[in-house]
Amino acid sequence: LACVQDEKGNIYVFNTHSGEVQRKIDFGDLGDYEGVEIIKDDAWALKSSGTLFEVNNYWIEEEQILTKYNTVLSGKNDAEGLAYDPVSGNLLIACKGHPYFDEKKGKEFKAIYEFDLETKKVGLEPFLLIVMDTIKYYKNYNTMAQLGVELLAFFDSSKGDISFQPSGIAIHPHTGNIYVIASVGNLLMVFSRDGDILAMVKLKSKHHPQPEGICFSPDGTMFISNEDGGDDGTIMKFEIKN
């Protein structure tokens, strides 16, 4: 598995069999890195500002080529999740903050954008809009709980609705469905390609104190990485049962 250091431009290749880091790859300066994805021989890393870094031939130090892409996303969008979409052949970026590029109000949504790997640009329209009222409905918020969420959003309008804030995204290798996790809200959501909610799973804080990353192996095995304050982080493995 490839893991990114969230305060430094480092990619760590982690061996799930031995439980050890096989390799450390330096690619950037200090910053707020939130996602990493491997596409063939290239590594991609995402900053919360929406900036993307492409490391060609990441595995061979002498042949590495670093390219930086500034996108239309900014800090107010708070980009958190990065995934390769084999269906479209592009990258998907999940935003924790404001869903749009302009000042248009949008606290009732969270957005996922598409980065075209041919043009190296983010699409101007969201690939997927997540409707927060639908999340709250399925979470069975009562009136008081919903009022509390709205009050918190009022006090920190930059974050909008805090009942669900994406922190990781992955595409299932067999179905093409979109899996989104949230450290704020402790949820795993599954969406169809049309944006329909297929599943909602409440992640237990005992195992997922702060879920930040998600990915799949080619056979559909799912991995979720977790921060844990000052303690060691964890990676949880969910195997397919035949």
Side-chain angles (χ1 to χ4, degrees), residues 33-221:
Y33 298 94
E34 296 291 352
V36 63
E37 185 63 272
I38 304 297
I39 306 175
K40 296 182 179 178
D41 297 325
D42 305 329
W44 289 81
L46 172 72
K47 263 188 174 181
S48 60
S49 62
T51 301
L52 280 165
F53 295 82
E54 179 185 15
V55 188
N56 295 115
N57 302 311
Y58 79 99
W59 194 254
I60 307 171
E61 189 172 351
E62 310 81 56
E63 299 181 15
Q64 289 174 6
I65 302 172
L66 177 65
T67 308
K68 176 181 176 181
Y69 300 97
N70 294 313
T71 71
V72 291
L73 295 169
S74 67
K76 73 176 182 179
N77 301 116
D78 202 356
E80 283 265 340
L82 183 68
Y84 174 66
D85 181 9
V87 178
S88 67
N90 293 323
L91 290 169
L92 296 182
I93 300 173
C95 296
K96 179 180 176 181
H98 193 70
Y100 303 116
F101 308 133
D102 53 26
E103 297 304 317
K104 181 168 59 174
K105 293 182 179 179
K107 68 178 183 179
E108 67 272 24
F109 300 109
K110 296 298 176 187
I112 296 171
Y113 283 90
E114 190 172 36
F115 180 82
D116 191 308
L117 287 172
E118 292 292 329
T119 65
K120 303 297 192 292
K121 293 183 181 298
V122 168
L124 297 180
E125 295 296 326
F127 174 84
L128 176 66
L129 273 178
I130 300 172
V131 182
M132 301 308 300
D133 280 348
T134 305
I135 302 286
K136 291 198 284 286
Y137 172 79
Y138 284 114
K139 285 181 76 172
N140 295 317
Y141 274 16
N142 59 33
T143 303
M144 289 303 294
Q146 187 155 342
L147 178 61
V149 165
E150 290 171 356
L151 278 173
L152 286 171
F154 175 79
F155 287 122
D156 190 354
S157 59
S158 65
K159 294 189 180 300
D161 197 316
I162 53 85
S163 56
F164 180 78
Q165 293 185 355
S167 57
I169 181 172
I171 311 300
H172 195 283
H174 299 160
T175 65
N177 291 332
I178 303 160
Y179 284 61
V180 182
I181 58 167
S183 57
V184 177
N186 257 56
L187 284 179
L188 167 62
M189 301 291 302
V190 184
F191 297 91
S192 71
R193 306 291 300 184
D194 297 322
D196 297 324
I197 296 177
L198 302 179
M200 172 188 283
V201 179
K202 179 68 176 176
L203 299 174
K204 294 181 180 179
S205 57
K206 175 183 176 182
H207 303 299
H208 305 280
Q210 189 177 335
E212 291 286 346
I214 181 171
C215 69
F216 290 96
S217 66
D219 68 358
T221 298

